[in-house]
Amino acid sequence: MIHQQKGNGVANGKIILLGEHSVVYGKPSIALPFQAVTTQTLVTTSQEKTEIHCDFYHGLIDDLPELLESLREVVRLCLVTLNQESTPINITIDSQIPAERGMGSSAAVAVATTRAIFDFFKSPLTDELLLEIVGISEKIAHGNPSGLDALMTSGHRSVCFIKNQPPRDIELNLSAFLVVADTGITGQTKEAVSSLSKKLETCETGYFQDIIDKLGHLTYDGLSYLQHNQPEKLGQVMNQTHNLLKELDISSPELDILVNSALDHNALGAKLTGGGRGGCMIALAKNKDDAKNIAQELKHAGAKQTWLYEMSE
């Protein structure tokens, strides 16, 4: 039985400050909820069959393209869990989060949609169940997700995250600004994850595993600098991290151009963020004026969009 005529769900974007890719192999990562961009889902009553309306598709859920298979699974899991498989609904998704840019777009869609469906049926949704549903969806979207995207797009706290361990909330205590810039190039998270996995499996010298270990150590260093208000040292960690990710073939020419541009215009540090091979980069600025200038220069260097993030809570 339907108890209300509409349901709403919201999720925010996410930024990985440090630890992308190495987090898949048990190393720490630092992630920030990015509320400058959000995804909102509206669920309403449908007369006949369940329909999906979003930027990429308008039509019956049964005809969803393979690209949106993870979304289909979210809807299926929600309706099965609620014992509402035979109830048709309309699902409208409005996302400001650029797709496939390392900002958690697919997870945010899953979070917002799950929340909206449960809200529509006026059913309580625990954090545990939400993360379980989104986690299944993310496996379809990304192959071997760490669980970080699901956690960050559904919450509002910055965290230090290690796979298969409870996340630890962290306080942002940094007198600095983060500039986020979109290359406009679709990231290749699934391909990058697969490529790195093969490198680790086939390398007999342990070279790539050493890089993973270094990334883990750098993330711990960065956490200390973040919490003790040492932006210059955090910037150095960001630079080192980007160079190591380049060695793992995670970066791209477009990302490197933006990283170099930021560094040429007084950024304390800069690196790719997220899955890589496209997507977004971040740059650390010592104050808001520098951040605005860096953002402007990044647009001149080819960034399609930029955002500012104050690194304090």
Side-chain angles (χ1 to χ4, degrees), residues 141-255:
H142 297 306
N144 183 25
S146 64
L148 186 59
D149 282 14
L151 180 68
M152 296 312 300
T153 57
S154 62
H156 303 289
R157 297 285 295 169
S158 302
V159 301
C160 179
F161 179 86
I162 299 176
K163 192 174 183 179
N164 298 324
Q165 293 186 22
R168 178 162 62 95
D169 288 351
I170 58 176
E171 295 289 338
L172 297 185
N173 182 35
L174 199 74
S175 300
F177 280 77
L178 202 64
V179 182
V180 182
D182 180 11
T183 63
I185 305 297
T186 299
Q188 303 293 328
T189 300
K190 200 167 186 177
E191 292 79 359
V193 168
S194 177
S195 173
L196 179 53
S197 176
K198 291 177 180 177
K199 283 182 172 66
L200 291 167
E201 290 174 1
T202 59
C203 180
E204 297 180 357
T205 64
Y207 174 77
F208 295 113
Q209 183 59 54
D210 287 344
I211 293 179
I212 295 294
D213 293 340
K214 289 177 183 177
L215 288 170
H217 292 309
L218 284 170
T219 300
Y220 278 124
D221 289 343
L223 178 60
S224 176
Y225 301 146
L226 181 67
Q227 295 179 313
H228 293 90
N229 197 20
Q230 296 177 289
E232 291 83 5
K233 289 187 176 180
L234 177 60
Q236 294 171 9
V237 165
M238 291 170 65
N239 293 337
Q240 294 175 62
T241 296
H242 184 74
N243 289 332
L244 290 174
L245 290 171
K246 284 175 65 175
E247 289 191 53
L248 294 176
D249 193 27
I250 302 301
S251 190
S252 71
E254 295 84 2
L255 285 166

Side-chain angles (χ1 to χ4, degrees), residues 114-162:
T114 299
R115 284 173 168 166
I117 292 173
F118 274 73
D119 186 45
F120 179 80
F121 289 106
K122 207 173 182 179
S123 179
L125 175 63
T126 64
D127 290 341
E128 290 77 14
L129 180 56
L130 172 64
L131 292 177
E132 179 183 346
I133 292 172
V134 177
I136 293 170
S137 167
E138 284 291 274
K139 286 182 180 179
I140 296 172
H142 297 306
N144 183 25
S146 64
L148 186 59
D149 282 14
L151 180 68
M152 296 312 300
T153 57
S154 62
H156 303 289
R157 297 285 295 169
S158 302
V159 301
C160 179
F161 179 86
I162 299 176

Side-chain angles (χ1 to χ4, degrees), residues 46 48-52 59-62 75 79 87-89 91:
S46 175
E48 296 183 2
K49 295 185 177 181
T50 294
E51 295 184 4
I52 299 285
L60 297 176
I61 192 170
D62 292 341
V75 177
L79 295 179
T87 304
I89 54 178
I91 301 170

Side-chain angles (χ1 to χ4, degrees), residues 17-67:
L17 183 65
L18 294 166
E20 48 270 282
H21 286 284
S22 55
V23 69
V24 175
Y25 300 96
K27 306 302 179 183
S29 64
I30 300 171
L32 319 174
F34 193 54
Q35 295 168 357
V37 289
T38 60
T39 295
Q40 300 184 39
T41 298
L42 172 67
V43 175
T44 57
T45 303
S46 175
Q47 297 302 316
E48 296 183 2
K49 295 185 177 181
T50 294
E51 295 184 4
I52 299 285
H53 301 280
C54 63
D55 286 344
F56 303 102
Y57 177 79
H58 294 274
L60 297 176
I61 192 170
D62 292 341
D63 299 330
L64 269 176
E66 185 177 354
L67 177 66

